[in-house]
Amino acid sequence: YRLKPNFFEDRLLATITLKDDEQGFLEIYNLQGVLSGKIVLNNGKNDLDLTPINLTNGVYLYRVWAGNEIKKTDKLIKLK
């Protein structure tokens, strides 16, 4: 569950694989805890190619949910 590159300017790539019976979400929050974006993840392999134009420069947190569980939380930095 890793978004790359982690210092990004225009584009983020990720492959997130969920179990066959799971669905989930990828959520991006600013450091004030405000939800900045949310993507629905289907069961199986999810290849994401994101262009988050609504994010300004700064540090964000992303969270991957699968089923009713948080699978990963990590920081994400947007430059330029």
Side-chain angles (χ1 to χ4, degrees):
Y1 307 124
R2 190 157 219 34
L3 299 180
K4 58 185 177 183
N6 198 340
F7 294 98
F8 76 99
E9 293 179 10
D10 299 321
R11 188 172 169 205
L12 284 167
L13 303 172
T15 298
I16 299 172
T17 303
L18 302 179
K19 294 178 186 175
D20 288 338
D21 60 344
E22 286 183 327
Q23 289 191 331
F25 300 96
L26 168 67
E27 298 174 328
I28 299 175
Y29 293 88
N30 66 22
L31 290 183
Q32 287 76 41
V34 176
L35 183 65
S36 299
K38 183 175 185 177
I39 297 170
V40 175
L41 302 171
N42 296 313
N43 60 345
K45 186 176 178 183
N46 295 268
D47 289 317
L48 305 175
D49 186 349
L50 309 173
T51 307
I53 57 173
N54 64 324
L55 300 182
T56 59
N57 293 349
V59 178
Y60 294 86
L61 298 174
Y62 71 89
R63 181 175 287 166
V64 177
W65 288 83
N68 293 323
E69 265 182 69
I70 297 171
K71 296 294 186 177
K72 178 164 185 130
T73 301
D74 204 351
K75 72 179 175 186
L76 181 65
I77 301 170
K78 179 162 187 200
L79 302 174
K80 196 174 181 183

